[in-house]
Amino acid sequence: MTMKKLRNEELNRLTIDEFRQAEKKPVIIILDNIRSLHNIGSIFRTGDAFRVAHIYLCGITACPPHREIHKTALGSTETVDWTYFEKTTEAIELARKEGYSVIALEQTDESIYLNEYQPVDLKKLALVLGNEIKGVSEDVIPLVDGCLEIPQFGHKHSFNVSVSSGIALWDLLQKMKLL
């Protein structure tokens, strides 16, 4: 038998209304001062793919609708709920009030490699992703429950933030038994 590529109509995609009605994963993505509109759009697409509950846009992170976000979001700003916060600390406070554990994806002296991280009773997750140059803000680090780091073996030791979001969410959702 010959393998064939699926056509779009064979992918069983949800309509926007079906997506809005569908049960969401208990995951929030917190974007801490993301400067690239393309990264924001790409993270929206990742959020749509994993059906996350919400995206919190913080600080200088731009909000939809925006032409440059739309280029990479490809309509996912219409499916994924989002809220803007002037300060990332406010977003973290709200996530905590709603019962979320808050984990940052950042290289720190106490970060745990993503592949070595084993969550215990992690029911609701808020994942903080930081600025492309400065990473997660210094005032945010003391507020999180922990930091995870994606192991890297090259010279840069730096993934693009939108790539990092996909890697981390895939791994964490599997470990939470949500995939």
Side-chain angles (χ1 to χ4, degrees):
M1 179 174 224
T2 304
M3 185 183 321
K4 76 172 185 97
K5 183 177 172 181
L6 295 176
R7 296 184 313 262
N8 281 345
E9 52 275 2
E10 296 176 295
L11 296 176
N12 298 318
R13 292 181 177 170
L14 300 177
T15 66
I16 291 174
D17 288 337
E18 289 170 334
F19 185 96
R20 290 198 173 279
Q21 297 300 317
E23 184 177 348
K24 307 300 184 290
K25 308 293 185 206
V27 173
I28 293 172
I29 301 170
I30 300 176
L31 301 183
D32 177 31
N33 293 298
I34 303 297
R35 65 185 173 93
S36 165
L37 301 172
H38 292 150
N39 283 336
I40 297 164
S42 184
I43 292 168
F44 263 94
R45 258 174 89 186
T46 299
D48 175 282
F50 290 124
R51 212 182 309 154
V52 300
H54 216 97
I55 296 179
Y56 291 171
L57 308 169
C58 307
I60 67 165
T61 307
C63 299
H66 194 288
R67 195 181 92 220
E68 293 300 312
I69 293 173
H70 182 71
K71 278 184 183 179
T72 50
L74 295 177
S76 57
T77 57
E78 303 301 316
T79 55
V80 180
D81 290 333
W82 60 271
T83 303
Y84 174 76
F85 294 85
E86 190 173 315
K87 297 180 180 186
T88 306
T89 54
E90 296 168 348
I92 290 171
E93 286 175 28
L94 179 58
R96 284 209 187 286
K97 284 180 187 170
E98 294 178 346
Y100 286 84
S101 296
V102 182
I103 297 174
L105 196 58
E106 184 58 87
Q107 297 164 326
T108 71
D109 61 345
E110 294 184 25
S111 59
I112 299 169
Y113 281 143
L114 183 62
N115 59 306
E116 295 173 358
Y117 176 69
Q118 292 302 321
V120 178
D121 293 332
L122 187 59
K123 304 278 189 253
K124 296 171 85 176
L125 170 68
L127 181 64
V128 181
L129 302 168
N131 177 275
E132 295 88 339
I133 303 298
K134 299 177 182 177
V136 174
S137 301
E138 288 288 335
D139 63 334
V140 168
I141 298 295
L143 303 178
V144 301
D145 297 312
C147 290
L148 300 177
E149 178 178 344
I150 300 169
Q152 299 168 57
F153 309 100
H155 168 70
K156 292 301 292 177
H157 281 266
S158 172
F159 283 110
N160 175 282
V161 66
S162 65
V163 171
S164 295
S165 72
I167 293 169
L169 285 169
W170 173 260
D171 184 80
L172 292 166
L173 287 167
Q174 280 193 317
K175 288 174 179 172
M176 293 170 72
K177 308 224 183 301
L178 295 172
L179 293 180

